[in-house]
Amino acid sequence: MKKINTDKAPAAIGPYSQAIEHEGMIYVSGQLPIDPATGTFPEGGVAELTRQSMNNISAILEAAGSGMDKVVKTTIFVQDLGDFGVVNEAYAAFFGETAPARACVQVAALPKGAKLEIEAIAYK
């Protein structure tokens, strides 16, 4: 296993890695919508938060020698499934015609009071 780490995404806030590469697959830990430059959530609504989480995933994949075009599966955790449409619209902009497999689930709470968190699996 190889640990993936970049300062272009927020540092882990617990005992985990931003991502792990194993046998050509990259497992990206859930990314809160934290701007790595400021350490805070971006201004705006759920669309901006979604874009920030996806930008964090993109930066981690780039550091691993991969990219968003190689994502095969994501999981989105949201506090409110009422945000599903807005999240979908912002999320879709990161993928071409063939979007990865995905699950989206509502959760009671997320770290730092975030409204969403997104994790991804990609190949190298």
Side-chain angles (χ1 to χ4, degrees), residues 45-48 50-51 76 78 80-93 102 104 106 116:
V46 174
E48 289 78 16
T50 302
R51 284 191 284 276
I76 302 174
V78 295
D80 183 356
L81 274 176
D83 293 331
F84 189 74
V86 175
V87 170
N88 274 342
E89 187 174 329
Y91 171 93
R102 185 185 89 180
C104 182
Q106 181 171 311
L116 63 88

